[in-house]
Amino acid sequence: MKVTCNVIKDVLPLYLENMLSDDSCTMVEEHIEQCQECKNYLDEMRTFNEMPVDRNTSPLLKIKSTLRKKKIQTAIFSMMFSIMLFVITIAFLTAPEYIPYSERSVTINEIGNGSVLAKFEDTVYGYDIKRYPTYDNSGYVYHITTWNSIWNRNIKKSNVNNTILNPNGENVVSVYYYQTDGSEDILMYGKDINPDGGIITLPRLFLSYYALIAIVSAIICGLIMLILHRNKKVFNFTMKFFFLPVSYLLGHLIIKGFTTSSYTATRDFYAILLVMIPLYIAFLTAVNLIRKYKSKKYEGYLH
């Protein structure tokens, strides 16, 4: 029986997959040697079955680079959040809890050679000493307060050492214990330099000036961004600067709340800065991620 071209074309797929018997393979091969049409058909099938190999690796490298950038940004964001959380926790644990005056909290004694010793009880973990000369320059006036904290009471139980107020032989005219509740300072040693009226040690206010500067800077940057929003260069540069005062204000809110006065203003200022830095970096990272998300969304609409 003569094998037709239609029969050969039907079995060619099986022939290419090596699924025919030896006799059938011989039949196919003998036919295509004599039939140019079936031979061409076989060549076309072989070409179709061979998948082209794309050796261009740039798309894969681009995807790999994008994934790496996302991992880096996520790591930076997580690290900044962890640092901020750590600083907030330490600031809370070490926040001074001022001790009201008692005769035992701190005592002032002369120890010879004109030296004056401030001796603290065991519950005192920190103290602050301010001094200034008298009006007639006859000596110095000292104001002392003491505190403890959650950290010192429960984690690191270390008491402060006694201290000499005048290690260089200065004349100690008077020593007061200042309260942090707005009440009058209490004379502990020497003479009262203001017998006609009480002395009150007020908290420092320079944090309020920094907060005011941050508010004004944020408002100015916001206005510039609103007016020049069409100028992308100016807008982007101003936005980066805008996040600085905003981060400072958020740091102040986290550390001090809505209070701007402080008896430990220097400590609080450094704590605010330590919170401000990771906040600022987190803002910039978030803006970058949002922009990339919007860009990809826009490209999706175009396609």
Side-chain angles (χ1 to χ4, degrees):
M1 185 177 96
K2 185 178 180 180
V3 181
T4 64
C5 291
N6 290 333
V7 174
I8 295 299
K9 289 178 180 178
D10 288 341
V11 299
L12 279 179
L14 298 176
Y15 175 76
L16 288 174
E17 297 294 334
N18 295 321
M19 298 177 65
L20 294 177
S21 65
D22 293 340
D23 293 340
S24 297
C25 288
T26 302
M27 177 190 68
V28 172
E29 290 169 354
E30 288 178 352
H31 179 84
I32 61 178
E33 284 179 0
Q34 299 175 0
C35 179
Q36 186 64 35
E37 181 183 351
C38 289
K39 184 178 181 181
N40 293 338
Y41 187 77
L42 178 62
D43 291 338
E44 290 178 0
M45 290 184 66
R46 283 174 172 165
T47 304
F48 179 78
N49 287 335
E50 291 179 359
M51 296 299 294
V53 178
D54 187 3
R55 299 184 182 277
N56 183 13
T57 61
S58 58
L60 294 176
L61 292 175
K62 187 176 181 181
I63 293 173
K64 187 176 180 181
S65 176
T66 302
L67 292 175
R68 188 186 299 113
K69 287 180 180 179
K70 285 186 177 180
K71 286 183 179 180
I72 293 174
Q73 289 173 343
T74 303
I76 291 174
F77 193 85
S78 301
M79 183 176 64
M80 293 301 103
F81 180 79
S82 300
I83 292 174
M84 183 179 66
L85 187 62
F86 175 77
V87 172
I88 293 172
T89 303
I90 294 299
F92 172 76
L93 293 176
T94 60
E97 297 176 358
Y98 292 99
I99 302 172
Y101 172 75
S102 69
E103 293 183 356
R104 293 181 302 168
S105 60
V106 55
T107 56
I108 307 298
N109 298 308
E110 292 185 11
I111 58 175
N113 299 323
S115 297
V116 177
L117 176 70
K119 185 177 181 181
F120 304 98
E121 67 174 354
D122 293 340
T123 58
V124 175
Y125 297 106
Y127 63 87
D128 179 53
I129 300 177
K130 306 178 186 297
R131 77 169 194 173
Y132 55 88
T134 58
Y135 294 110
D136 56 3
N137 291 321
S138 60
Y140 288 87
V141 178
Y142 294 78
H143 293 261
I144 299 177
T145 194
T146 59
W147 67 76
N148 55 32
S149 66
I150 298 174
W151 176 275
N152 294 119
R153 287 198 307 271
N154 301 288
I155 301 174
K156 186 180 180 182
K157 299 181 179 180
S158 58
N159 306 102
V160 297
N161 297 321
N162 302 327
T163 184
I164 295 177
L165 299 180
N166 55 343
N168 297 320
E170 302 93 332
N171 181 34
V172 179
V173 176
S174 52
V175 180
Y176 292 87
Y177 190 93
Y178 74 84
Q179 315 269 22
T180 58
D181 57 0
S183 58
E184 294 183 1
D185 296 2
I186 299 173
L187 180 66
M188 295 189 296
Y189 173 86
K191 67 176 183 178
D192 192 352
I193 62 171
N194 192 17
D196 297 330
I199 298 175
I200 300 176
T201 300
L202 299 176
R204 301 184 67 180
L205 301 176
F206 73 79
L207 290 179
S208 61
Y209 302 134
Y210 292 154
L212 180 61
I213 292 172
I215 292 172
V216 172
S217 299
I219 292 174
I220 292 174
C221 290
L223 291 174
I224 293 174
M225 292 165 60
L226 183 64
I227 296 171
L228 302 176
H229 64 279
R230 296 181 183 274
N231 190 325
K232 295 300 182 182
K233 284 187 177 181
V234 176
F235 182 87
N236 292 334
F237 176 80
T238 308
M239 182 176 61
K240 291 179 181 178
F241 188 81
F242 170 76
F243 285 128
L244 281 173
V246 170
S247 300
Y248 179 85
L249 291 172
L250 286 176
H252 182 103
L253 188 65
I254 292 170
I255 297 298
K256 292 295 295 177
F258 294 98
T259 304
T260 56
S261 60
S262 175
Y263 284 95
T264 55
T266 302
R267 169 196 174 276
D268 293 337
F269 177 69
Y270 287 131
I272 292 170
L273 290 182
L274 288 174
V275 174
M276 168 191 166
I277 293 171
L279 270 176
Y280 179 70
I281 297 175
F283 272 130
L284 296 183
T285 305
V287 169
N288 191 30
L289 291 174
I290 292 171
R291 283 179 175 172
K292 287 188 176 180
Y293 173 77
K294 288 184 177 180
S295 177
K296 288 184 178 180
K297 194 174 181 181
Y298 179 73
E299 289 176 0
Y301 283 140
L302 291 179
H303 293 293

